[in-house]
Amino acid sequence: MTDLAVPTPAVPRDSWRRRLALSLSGVRLPLRRRILLTFALGSFALSAFLAGATYGFTKSALMRQRDRAAIRQATANAKDLEVQLNANPTITQISEWLLGLDSRGAVCFRGEWLAAAAQFGRTAIPESLNERVISTAQPARMIWTVQDERVIEVGVPLPDYGAAYFEFVSLSEVESTLSNVGGHCSPPVS
């Protein structure tokens, strides 16, 4: 029997293919390269962790800030509504007051619902939020989706007048900011 020798292509001694073949075949890399590789992988892992942590803290801070602003605005508008209700207004006057606001609000006044915009009326308020604010007369807030838009809904009861004020604050700016920040953390897609 004769063995046929298969000629192997000559690979230069210091080529990258040879180094890759040797590193994958179980031959240990020199100490200097192992240390360099360890530092490179450690740096990558640390930067990925810090990017994720920064994104998480940014998201938390933006949401907290928007939540506080929504509660502050809804409370101020509810106090203004309370002043309006002291004058014993008609439903038309309350509707005009709602339309004069810079924000999206809804009022439940003696069982009748009024809204500045149709999509932010009674049907846009979750039953649990409605029950808590109207039935138990406790202020409450909830993040909810109204016609494909995420909003913070804040409800403030006005039990002395048989009324409740609800305000809808959009989260689109926060989501846009987070997508811009998140987009810059990932590599560009071509």
Side-chain angles (χ1 to χ4, degrees):
M1 244 166 103
T2 57
D3 290 328
L4 294 175
V6 178
T8 57
V11 177
R13 183 172 173 89
D14 202 27
S15 77
W16 65 272
R17 289 185 191 136
R18 183 173 190 280
R19 288 190 303 250
L20 179 63
L22 288 176
S23 67
L24 295 177
S25 66
V27 176
R28 290 180 56 132
L29 292 173
L31 180 61
R32 181 177 288 168
R33 288 192 182 154
R34 286 185 301 199
I35 291 172
L36 182 62
L37 184 62
T38 301
F39 275 110
L41 292 176
S43 298
F44 177 75
L46 179 63
S47 65
F49 169 76
L50 289 175
T54 301
Y55 180 81
F57 289 137
T58 301
K59 180 180 179 181
S60 175
L62 286 173
M63 287 298 292
R64 195 174 330 117
Q65 180 182 19
R66 180 53 59 106
D67 192 44
R68 287 180 184 156
I71 291 170
R72 198 170 31 250
Q73 183 67 40
T75 303
N77 286 343
K79 285 181 182 178
D80 190 29
L81 175 61
E82 196 170 20
V83 169
Q84 299 294 324
L85 293 176
N86 273 331
N88 200 16
T90 64
I91 296 295
T92 306
Q93 290 171 323
I94 295 173
S95 292
E96 290 171 359
W97 175 82
L98 265 174
L99 292 173
L101 289 178
D102 263 352
S103 53
R104 302 181 287 192
V107 173
C108 177
F109 181 61
R110 297 182 184 147
E112 189 165 340
W113 284 89
L114 308 165
Q119 71 265 28
F120 296 107
R122 166 66 190 103
T123 57
I125 300 169
E127 192 56 42
S128 58
L129 181 65
N130 184 26
E131 184 177 320
R132 181 168 177 141
V133 174
I134 293 176
S135 300
T136 64
Q138 294 180 8
R141 64 134 180 85
M142 178 182 281
I143 295 176
W144 194 253
T145 303
V146 177
Q147 293 186 352
D148 297 328
E149 179 184 8
R150 288 179 39 92
V151 295
I152 298 175
E153 295 186 22
V154 181
V156 180
L158 302 168
D160 295 342
Y161 303 96
Y165 175 73
F166 294 87
E167 185 151 333
F168 303 84
V169 179
S170 176
L171 290 175
S172 61
E173 283 183 28
V174 172
E175 290 171 345
S176 173
T177 301
L178 290 174
S179 71
N180 286 339
V181 169
H184 292 295
C185 292
S186 60
V189 178
S190 51

